[in-house]
Short mmCIF file of all heavy atoms in Angstrom, two decimals:
data_model
loop_
_atom_site.label_atom_id
_atom_site.label_comp_id
_atom_site.label_asym_id
_atom_site.label_seq_id
_atom_site.Cartn_x
_atom_site.Cartn_y
_atom_site.Cartn_z
N TRP W 14 203.22 322.56 51.48
CA TRP W 14 201.81 322.42 51.08
C TRP W 14 201.19 321.23 51.80
O TRP W 14 201.83 320.20 51.99
CB TRP W 14 201.68 322.24 49.56
CG TRP W 14 200.25 322.06 49.08
CD1 TRP W 14 199.32 323.05 48.95
CD2 TRP W 14 199.62 320.85 48.69
NE1 TRP W 14 198.15 322.51 48.51
CE2 TRP W 14 198.29 321.16 48.34
CE3 TRP W 14 200.04 319.52 48.62
CZ2 TRP W 14 197.38 320.19 47.90
CZ3 TRP W 14 199.14 318.56 48.19
CH2 TRP W 14 197.83 318.90 47.84
N PHE W 15 199.94 321.36 52.21
CA PHE W 15 199.16 320.28 52.80
C PHE W 15 199.74 319.78 54.12
O PHE W 15 199.55 318.66 54.54
CB PHE W 15 199.02 319.10 51.83
CG PHE W 15 197.70 318.36 51.97
CD1 PHE W 15 196.52 318.99 51.71
CD2 PHE W 15 197.67 317.03 52.34
CE1 PHE W 15 195.31 318.31 51.85
CE2 PHE W 15 196.49 316.33 52.48
CZ PHE W 15 195.29 316.98 52.23
N LEU W 16 200.51 320.65 54.79
CA LEU W 16 201.06 320.34 56.09
C LEU W 16 200.09 320.85 57.12
O LEU W 16 199.88 322.04 57.26
CB LEU W 16 202.43 320.99 56.26
CG LEU W 16 203.20 320.69 57.55
CD1 LEU W 16 203.45 319.21 57.72
CD2 LEU W 16 204.52 321.47 57.56
N ARG W 17 199.47 319.91 57.88
CA ARG W 17 198.37 320.30 58.76
C ARG W 17 198.62 319.90 60.20
O ARG W 17 198.99 318.77 60.50
CB ARG W 17 197.05 319.61 58.31
CG ARG W 17 196.49 320.14 57.02
CD ARG W 17 195.63 321.37 57.25
NE ARG W 17 194.40 321.02 57.99
CZ ARG W 17 194.07 321.51 59.16
NH1 ARG W 17 194.83 322.37 59.78
NH2 ARG W 17 192.96 321.14 59.77
N ASP W 18 198.41 320.87 61.09
CA ASP W 18 198.33 320.62 62.53
C ASP W 18 196.83 320.72 62.86
O ASP W 18 196.21 321.76 62.65
CB ASP W 18 199.13 321.68 63.28
CG ASP W 18 199.14 321.49 64.79
OD1 ASP W 18 198.13 320.97 65.33
OD2 ASP W 18 200.12 321.87 65.44
N LEU W 19 196.25 319.64 63.37
CA LEU W 19 194.80 319.60 63.53
C LEU W 19 194.29 320.53 64.62
O LEU W 19 193.09 320.68 64.79
CB LEU W 19 194.34 318.18 63.81
CG LEU W 19 194.66 317.15 62.70
CD1 LEU W 19 193.86 315.87 62.93
CD2 LEU W 19 194.34 317.68 61.31
N ARG W 20 195.18 321.18 65.34
CA ARG W 20 194.76 322.17 66.34
C ARG W 20 194.48 323.53 65.70
O ARG W 20 193.85 324.39 66.32
CB ARG W 20 195.85 322.35 67.40
CG ARG W 20 196.12 321.10 68.22
CD ARG W 20 197.36 321.25 69.08
NE ARG W 20 198.56 321.40 68.25
CZ ARG W 20 199.80 321.53 68.76
NH1 ARG W 20 199.99 321.54 70.05
NH2 ARG W 20 200.83 321.63 67.94
N THR W 21 194.93 323.72 64.47
CA THR W 21 194.87 325.07 63.86
C THR W 21 193.57 325.28 63.13
O THR W 21 192.88 324.33 62.73
CB THR W 21 196.04 325.26 62.89
OG1 THR W 21 195.96 324.26 61.87
CG2 THR W 21 197.37 325.12 63.62
N PRO W 22 193.19 326.55 62.90
CA PRO W 22 191.91 326.82 62.19
C PRO W 22 191.99 326.43 60.72
O PRO W 22 192.98 326.73 60.03
CB PRO W 22 191.74 328.35 62.36
CG PRO W 22 193.12 328.86 62.61
CD PRO W 22 193.84 327.80 63.36
N PHE W 23 190.93 325.79 60.25
CA PHE W 23 190.83 325.33 58.87
C PHE W 23 189.54 325.83 58.29
O PHE W 23 188.44 325.58 58.84
CB PHE W 23 190.88 323.80 58.81
CG PHE W 23 190.79 323.24 57.41
CD1 PHE W 23 191.93 323.03 56.66
CD2 PHE W 23 189.57 322.93 56.86
CE1 PHE W 23 191.86 322.52 55.37
CE2 PHE W 23 189.46 322.42 55.56
CZ PHE W 23 190.61 322.19 54.82
N GLY W 24 189.61 326.54 57.17
CA GLY W 24 188.40 327.04 56.51
C GLY W 24 188.75 328.12 55.52
O GLY W 24 189.91 328.50 55.36
N GLY W 25 187.75 328.63 54.82
CA GLY W 25 188.00 329.56 53.75
C GLY W 25 187.36 330.92 53.93
O GLY W 25 186.48 331.11 54.78
N MET W 26 187.81 331.87 53.11
CA MET W 26 187.23 333.21 53.04
C MET W 26 186.38 333.31 51.79
O MET W 26 186.37 332.42 50.96
CB MET W 26 188.35 334.26 52.97
CG MET W 26 189.24 334.34 54.17
SD MET W 26 190.48 335.64 53.92
CE MET W 26 191.37 335.56 55.48
N LYS W 27 185.66 334.41 51.69
CA LYS W 27 184.81 334.70 50.52
C LYS W 27 183.92 333.50 50.21
O LYS W 27 183.29 332.95 51.12
CB LYS W 27 185.71 335.14 49.34
CG LYS W 27 186.49 336.42 49.66
CD LYS W 27 187.24 336.97 48.45
CE LYS W 27 188.54 336.33 48.21
NZ LYS W 27 189.37 337.07 47.21
N GLN W 28 183.87 333.05 48.96
CA GLN W 28 182.97 331.96 48.61
C GLN W 28 183.60 330.59 48.81
O GLN W 28 183.11 329.58 48.29
CB GLN W 28 182.49 332.13 47.18
CG GLN W 28 181.58 333.35 46.99
CD GLN W 28 180.90 333.37 45.63
OE1 GLN W 28 180.69 332.36 44.97
NE2 GLN W 28 180.55 334.58 45.20
N SER W 29 184.66 330.55 49.59
CA SER W 29 185.30 329.26 49.91
C SER W 29 184.88 328.72 51.29
O SER W 29 185.38 327.68 51.72
CB SER W 29 186.82 329.39 49.89
OG SER W 29 187.29 329.45 48.56
N GLY W 30 183.97 329.42 51.97
CA GLY W 30 183.51 328.81 53.21
C GLY W 30 183.03 329.80 54.24
O GLY W 30 183.15 331.02 54.11
N ILE W 31 182.47 329.22 55.31
CA ILE W 31 181.99 329.98 56.46
C ILE W 31 182.44 329.24 57.70
O ILE W 31 182.22 328.03 57.85
CB ILE W 31 180.45 330.09 56.47
CG1 ILE W 31 179.96 330.88 55.27
CG2 ILE W 31 179.96 330.74 57.77
CD1 ILE W 31 178.46 330.88 55.13
N GLY W 32 183.12 329.93 58.60
CA GLY W 32 183.54 329.34 59.85
C GLY W 32 184.87 328.60 59.74
O GLY W 32 185.48 328.54 58.67
N ARG W 33 185.31 328.06 60.88
CA ARG W 33 186.58 327.34 60.94
C ARG W 33 186.39 326.04 61.71
O ARG W 33 185.57 325.95 62.64
CB ARG W 33 187.64 328.19 61.66
CG ARG W 33 188.03 329.47 60.91
CD ARG W 33 188.74 329.14 59.60
NE ARG W 33 189.17 330.33 58.88
CZ ARG W 33 188.46 330.94 57.97
NH1 ARG W 33 187.21 330.51 57.68
NH2 ARG W 33 188.93 332.00 57.32
N GLU W 34 187.17 325.04 61.30
CA GLU W 34 187.19 323.77 62.02
C GLU W 34 188.63 323.47 62.41
O GLU W 34 189.59 324.07 61.93
CB GLU W 34 186.65 322.65 61.13
CG GLU W 34 185.18 322.81 60.78
CD GLU W 34 184.67 321.72 59.86
OE1 GLU W 34 185.28 321.53 58.78
OE2 GLU W 34 183.71 321.04 60.20
N GLY W 35 188.80 322.51 63.33
CA GLY W 35 190.14 322.17 63.83
C GLY W 35 190.28 322.56 65.27
O GLY W 35 190.00 323.70 65.65
N GLY W 36 190.73 321.62 66.10
CA GLY W 36 190.98 321.91 67.50
C GLY W 36 189.78 322.58 68.18
O GLY W 36 188.64 322.14 68.06
N MET W 37 190.04 323.67 68.89
CA MET W 37 188.99 324.37 69.62
C MET W 37 187.93 324.93 68.70
O MET W 37 186.76 325.07 69.06
CB MET W 37 189.63 325.49 70.44
CG MET W 37 188.69 326.10 71.47
SD MET W 37 188.17 324.84 72.67
CE MET W 37 186.51 325.38 73.01
#
């Protein structure tokens, strides 16, 4: 849990978000 590679996509589906952040 909470293991993050900052190159990977970060964001949510449904009402948890729009779009992705991280790396490219």
Side-chain angles (χ1 to χ4, degrees):
W14 178 76
F15 212 64
L16 183 60
R17 289 275 292 120
D18 181 330
L19 300 193
R20 297 170 294 182
T21 60
F23 180 90
M26 296 181 179
K27 298 188 277 192
Q28 293 191 25
S29 285
I31 297 173
R33 295 294 182 268
E34 294 178 305
M37 192 62 213

